[in-house]
Amino acid sequence: MTRPTWNEYFMTIARMVTRRSTCLRRQVGAILVKEKRILATGYNGAPAGIKHCEEVGCLRVDSSVPSGMRHELCRGLHAEQNAIIQAAYHGIPIGNSILYCTNKPCAICSKMLINAGIKKIFYEKGYDDPLADQLFAEAGVEIVEFAI
């Protein structure tokens, strides 16, 4: 067996995190890493204590909302948001860390990641979001498409 690179290792873990997702449309996993140590993980789904979409249905499907549009019409949080929140909840500083995410962050998440001090993002796939790309470029956040 070939030993994985650090990037392969962390992206594989991000993929595993997706298995906790309760979203009916897209399962996404994210991890925040600093100095080769995992700081926090996140997956997309409803807030703690709130019924999941798999229990009550999907507002976005019911309203025929296209992917990448009207993010506010959703019970869930994005994986990147949950990773940031988990770190904050537990008092873990994430400035200058790296995000490994199975999907490219949207514009909403990009603003949060920039303000959280994330300096580099590895992602596997994603939808086109020109605003997110523009914000990351302007903030100097390095974005790397990375598929194993």
Side-chain angles (χ1 to χ4, degrees):
M1 180 157 83
T2 304
R3 187 174 190 209
T5 66
W6 284 108
N7 291 334
E8 291 168 339
Y9 173 71
F10 292 126
M11 191 59 80
T12 299
I13 293 170
R15 277 189 191 155
M16 176 58 76
V17 173
T18 67
R19 295 179 62 188
R20 293 283 306 153
S21 171
T22 59
C23 181
L24 299 175
R25 292 178 80 171
R26 180 188 313 241
Q27 288 70 50
V28 180
I31 63 171
L32 289 166
V33 175
K34 189 173 186 178
E35 298 172 4
K36 299 179 184 164
R37 301 289 180 252
I38 296 171
L39 304 175
T41 66
Y43 52 87
N44 56 329
I50 304 296
K51 289 184 179 180
H52 296 286
C53 298
E54 59 191 12
E55 299 172 83
V56 297
C58 177
L59 294 172
R60 296 174 63 77
V61 168
D62 295 344
S63 301
S64 301
V65 177
S67 180
M69 307 296 288
R70 303 286 317 267
H71 295 284
E72 75 279 7
L73 296 177
C74 182
R75 294 178 66 79
L77 293 151
H78 288 188
E80 306 93 317
Q81 295 167 351
N82 272 326
I84 292 168
I85 292 165
Q86 182 186 52
Y89 185 83
H90 293 286
I92 300 168
I94 59 172
N96 296 311
S97 63
I98 298 172
L99 176 78
Y100 290 84
C101 193
T102 58
N103 276 73
K104 186 177 180 184
C106 69
I108 294 169
C109 289
S110 69
K111 292 181 268 188
M112 292 179 186
L113 292 163
I114 291 165
N115 273 0
I118 307 311
K119 297 302 180 193
K120 190 171 190 174
I121 297 169
F122 289 93
Y123 72 95
E124 272 192 326
K125 56 191 169 194
Y127 45 83
D128 188 35
D129 191 333
L131 179 56
D133 294 338
Q134 177 187 347
L135 294 168
F136 283 137
E138 190 174 334
V141 176
E142 185 179 354
I143 307 296
V144 179
E145 185 174 5
F146 184 85
I148 301 173

